[in-house]
Amino acid sequence: MAESGSDDLQGVLREQEELRQRLIALDRKIEELRSPKIDLPPPLPTLVKEKPSVLAEAAANRSSETFGTHEPDQTNVSTNVVPKSSWEFQLGTVWLVRIGIVVLLTGLVFLGNFAYRHLVYLLGPFVKVAFLYLLGGGLVWIGTRLEKGAEALRNYGRVLLAGGAALVYYTTYGMSFVERLRVIESPLVGGVLLLVVGGMVLRLAEKRQMQSVALMAILLSYYSAAINPLGWFSLYSSLLLTAAAVWVLLKHRWTKVSFLSLAGTYGSFLFWQMNRSGGSPVAFWPAAAFLFCYWLLFTAAVFLSRSERFPPSERTPFLTINNGAFYALAWQLIHASHPGWDGRFSLGFGAILLVLAAVARRRESGDLFLDGVYLTQGLGVITFGLLTELHGYQLAVALAIEGTMMLFAINRRHGWIYEVGAAVVTLLGFLTGWTRGLSLQHEQSVWWTLLGIFVADAWLERHWKKRTTPVAVSWPAVGYSALAVFQLILIFSKYRPAGGREMDYCLATLALLGLGGLLKLRELAVAGQFLTVLVSGLYLIYQPGGGHPAATHFAAIALPLVLVHWWQWQRVEIGYYDWRKGGQWIFTLLFLGVAGRWIFDHAAGARLSFYLAAFALGVMLHGRWTGIRILSLGGLAALWGSVAVFFLHAVTQPPTFSWLAAGAVAIYLITERLIRHDFVPAFFRGTVRRGLILAGTLGVWLEWNRWIGFSGSHFPKTLAWAAIGTGALCIGLALRERTYRLCGLGLLALSVLRIFLNDIWGLDPIFRILSFTGLGIALLGLGFIYNKFADKLREWL
């Protein structure tokens, strides 16, 4: 006992000396950093006093503890600088010896095999066991002596000590479970001996306060068992090592030992399962019991160690590896032995993880990682269990219900986990229903149930979730609403005839608008408008005439206009973009496109230009009356489409007169006057008006020429041109509109050119006289007006 106490005292004194040397080195480094960087000559070497003996230093320490704190004597410290470690030094002092002991143990095992076959097969197992114990004990003794000696050999001695302890452990294991070393027939006695030897190794590591010894001992113990034929006791050996690793974690915070044991335990189980003798079927219940005990011990380590001893940065990966390894190995074991149990096992294990999450929340409320990780993993395992246990529409409904249950818990602790989990699970349910639904011709109620669940999820996300600040739009609610809309498309595609789906989509849009208003769920109303986009797209791509009733055409045209007004009523701006205007633009374009497509399919030529012009004028007036400027702009765009059709028809078709074309020209001129009253933005209002005046004037000129040809009249065209030019010029003077005047002057110029280039040679004398006379009177009259009212005209112009 006295000798043991002296060894303990010397060990404590050595540790005290190491700490003192480190503190002195840190003080020296601090002084170097504080001092100015001035080139000084190297200091003279300080005389080093003789170091007092260990016993004298211990007496001084005890004296300082009696009368006050002990301060180290700075003069007793050597100024020799410790050389910096390099990779070569680290390799030579640390890793060479560690690798060497592993190689040595491997060689000893193969040496034993060789000796058993060729040299010492006549020797009994007692001699072999004695030899191995002698060798292991010798390594422990040498390592202990070197660890107590000089500092340079201390690490070397620790490695030898750990290797000897591992050899002793393996020999004890072989006494009961290795055929060539078996001297004990009772597994119980062998297990007790292994427990004793393992406890001695850990006691040695604890006494020396050396985590590296415990690491090396446990590692070599796993390795020693792995390179030999494995039986049931290898699982038992892993269980003992697991318990030991958990114990040192709780007592000494040796997390490296626990991580090493975590890898070694599950790795040895996997190795045992892959290499069991003869490939015979594994006994399910003993293997499952061992595996569950491993997981239970490591889980106990997670909960019994406080956060200050086992911080979240280490505990989170530890429990994740533990749960993942156990679940993977257990699922494979169950799937191989009882294929029908794997889904139920996943559901049960997921429920256990959720219970552990609740326990962690109560036990350590300040640690957000612990219960959050268990919660995430539990939800994931339960979802995987549903995926493996259920099939078809049952799986789709179950996943959708699971997502709704998560949303009910969205206001609890870790609400974001429930929110993300609900989104993932609900999307899986939708995809499952979509893929499975393609092969089903019945169970329509199931798909309507899924639709109702998605709408309920959108409402929960929008109104159930508590927010610190209100939001205009909940994007997760938009996602759930979109799932509901796509689910509705799936129902229509499976259970409604193809010819009537357009009307169904239109009615569904109105229904979703009403339901969104009733539930105060704007997101559902917005998502439902995708059905209108779908109808409009189909209407624009495919020929809408023929098989569709008139009600379908009317709904396809009117519904986008209704949605334009719906967006006008929304007074919410989201972020930096006014989504109200965006929605109005989208459905204004769809309204114009669908209506224009219907007009194109029911009219051509002059009728087309008139119908487009009338439609454009009506849209502009409607936009002005309702205050929706986007509609006015859309109507103006349709009007320019009519202008393009009008002149394209004039160029490509025979010059025939049409009262509808003349009506289109009149609409152009009427619209020009309406634009003066703020129908379009001011920055391009003048350009639009000038373009319409030019188009209207040229249209009048074209249609008058056509009327003259259509009626068979011999009235000279030059005189008609002069009359139109004079009228345009007078209108320009009356309205103070320069564009009209320029058009009038241009037509008069064309008249002058025509009368000298064509009429003077080609007309009959009477018509030639009328042309010259009429044009001359018109020019003289206009000249008289310009001269008579010159001052007034200057003011107007």
Side-chain angles (χ1 to χ4, degrees), residues 640-674:
W640 280 107
S642 173
V643 171
V645 171
F646 176 85
F647 284 101
L648 182 64
H649 175 74
V651 173
T652 59
Q653 300 298 324
T656 57
F657 174 77
S658 172
W659 288 105
L660 292 177
V665 173
I667 292 175
Y668 303 155
L669 297 176
I670 293 172
T671 305
E672 182 274 326
R673 301 311 300 165
L674 292 177

Side-chain angles (χ1 to χ4, degrees), residues 489-510:
I489 294 175
L490 172 63
I491 294 173
F492 287 157
S493 64
K494 295 300 297 180
Y495 302 108
R496 294 292 296 170
R501 291 177 189 169
E502 289 80 2
M503 194 65 182
D504 293 334
Y505 291 151
C506 293
L507 295 176
T509 300
L510 296 176

Side-chain angles (χ1 to χ4, degrees), residues 600-754:
F600 268 94
D601 290 330
H602 291 81
R607 295 177 61 190
L608 177 59
S609 61
F610 175 75
Y611 289 164
L612 282 176
F615 169 73
L617 180 60
V619 171
M620 293 183 66
L621 292 174
H622 180 77
R624 181 68 178 84
W625 177 60
T626 57
I628 305 177
R629 178 169 290 187
I630 294 176
L631 275 178
S632 298
L633 294 176
L636 182 63
L639 185 66
W640 280 107
S642 173
V643 171
V645 171
F646 176 85
F647 284 101
L648 182 64
H649 175 74
V651 173
T652 59
Q653 300 298 324
T656 57
F657 174 77
S658 172
W659 288 105
L660 292 177
V665 173
I667 292 175
Y668 303 155
L669 297 176
I670 293 172
T671 305
E672 182 274 326
R673 301 311 300 165
L674 292 177
I675 290 178
R676 296 171 59 91
H677 301 286
D678 194 26
F679 271 69
V680 293
F683 68 90
F684 70 97
R685 188 182 307 156
T687 303
V688 173
R689 290 181 61 247
R690 285 189 290 272
L692 288 176
I693 291 172
L694 179 61
T697 306
L698 292 178
V700 171
W701 176 70
L702 285 173
E703 291 305 315
W704 199 325
N705 285 335
R706 289 177 178 177
W707 183 82
I708 292 175
F710 174 76
S711 61
S713 173
H714 296 286
F715 190 82
K717 289 185 178 181
T718 302
L719 193 58
W721 291 9
I724 296 174
T726 303
L729 192 59
C730 293
I731 293 174
L733 291 173
L735 299 178
R736 304 180 186 181
E737 184 62 53
R738 185 168 182 266
T739 307
Y740 274 112
R741 297 194 303 271
L742 292 178
C743 290
L745 292 175
L747 289 176
L748 290 174
L750 289 176
S751 301
V752 172
L753 290 176
R754 179 180 176 84

Side-chain angles (χ1 to χ4, degrees), residues 223-512:
Y223 182 75
S224 300
I227 63 176
N228 284 277
L230 301 178
W232 283 106
F233 199 77
S234 62
L235 301 183
Y236 178 66
S237 176
S238 297
L239 182 62
L240 294 179
L241 293 171
T242 299
V246 171
W247 180 71
V248 297
L249 171 65
L250 298 178
K251 187 173 182 181
H252 300 290
R253 293 181 291 177
W254 287 353
T255 56
K256 294 181 180 179
V257 174
S258 300
F259 274 101
L260 178 62
S261 179
L262 189 70
T265 298
Y266 288 115
S268 63
F269 184 89
L270 178 62
F271 188 78
W272 170 84
Q273 192 174 14
M274 295 173 59
N275 297 276
R276 55 184 180 270
S277 58
S280 60
V282 64
F284 172 74
W285 290 110
F290 274 112
L291 192 59
F292 179 74
C293 289
Y294 301 154
W295 175 81
L296 190 61
L297 286 173
F298 287 127
T299 303
V302 171
F303 281 91
L304 295 178
S305 60
R306 293 293 182 179
S307 58
E308 62 271 9
R309 292 176 172 264
F310 203 8
S313 60
E314 296 181 353
R315 181 158 53 179
T316 299
F318 182 85
L319 69 91
T320 302
I321 296 173
N322 179 38
N323 293 336
F326 167 74
Y327 179 70
L329 293 173
W331 190 89
Q332 196 278 333
L333 183 65
I334 293 173
H335 185 73
S337 302
H338 301 83
W341 293 7
D342 45 6
R344 280 167 275 179
F345 162 71
S346 298
L347 295 175
F349 184 62
I352 292 174
L353 293 179
L354 293 182
V355 172
L356 291 178
V359 174
R361 183 171 61 250
R362 290 181 175 272
R363 181 178 176 83
E364 297 189 26
S365 59
D367 187 358
L368 295 176
F369 288 94
L370 186 59
D371 63 319
V373 172
Y374 274 116
L375 175 63
T376 304
Q377 295 175 5
L379 295 176
V381 172
I382 288 177
T383 302
F384 184 76
L386 292 176
L387 291 173
T388 55
E389 184 70 17
L390 301 177
H391 303 282
Y393 66 88
Q394 295 178 346
L395 176 60
V397 174
L399 290 174
I401 293 175
E402 182 189 4
T404 304
M405 294 175 63
M406 290 184 190
L407 286 178
F408 272 108
I410 201 171
N411 295 319
R412 303 181 62 185
R413 177 179 167 116
H414 297 300
W416 67 272
I417 296 178
Y418 291 106
E419 188 173 12
V420 174
V424 173
V425 171
T426 305
L427 181 59
L428 286 176
F430 168 75
L431 294 176
T432 302
W434 185 279
T435 55
R436 300 288 190 260
L438 295 178
S439 60
L440 291 177
Q441 299 297 331
H442 59 286
E443 301 294 345
Q444 184 176 356
S445 60
V446 174
W447 312 124
W448 284 105
T449 300
L450 287 175
L451 174 61
I453 291 175
F454 296 150
V455 173
D457 292 343
W459 187 90
L460 288 173
E461 178 63 44
R462 185 68 178 89
H463 297 290
W464 184 262
K465 181 180 179 181
K466 295 180 180 178
R467 295 179 173 87
T468 56
T469 56
V471 295
V473 171
S474 172
W475 293 108
V478 172
Y480 290 119
S481 301
L483 291 183
V485 171
F486 284 115
Q487 185 68 23
L488 192 60
I489 294 175
L490 172 63
I491 294 173
F492 287 157
S493 64
K494 295 300 297 180
Y495 302 108
R496 294 292 296 170
R501 291 177 189 169
E502 289 80 2
M503 194 65 182
D504 293 334
Y505 291 151
C506 293
L507 295 176
T509 300
L510 296 176
L512 292 177

Side-chain angles (χ1 to χ4, degrees), residues 716-795:
K717 289 185 178 181
T718 302
L719 193 58
W721 291 9
I724 296 174
T726 303
L729 192 59
C730 293
I731 293 174
L733 291 173
L735 299 178
R736 304 180 186 181
E737 184 62 53
R738 185 168 182 266
T739 307
Y740 274 112
R741 297 194 303 271
L742 292 178
C743 290
L745 292 175
L747 289 176
L748 290 174
L750 289 176
S751 301
V752 172
L753 290 176
R754 179 180 176 84
I755 200 172
F756 284 102
L757 296 178
N758 181 72
D759 295 354
I760 196 173
W761 312 108
L763 292 178
D764 293 336
I766 186 63
F767 288 109
R768 187 184 309 146
I769 295 171
L770 290 175
S771 297
F772 275 87
T773 304
L775 179 59
I777 293 173
L779 294 176
L780 290 174
L782 291 174
F784 175 77
I785 292 174
Y786 270 94
N787 287 276
K788 176 69 177 178
F789 303 100
D791 296 334
K792 193 66 176 177
L793 289 175
R794 288 192 187 96
E795 294 178 4

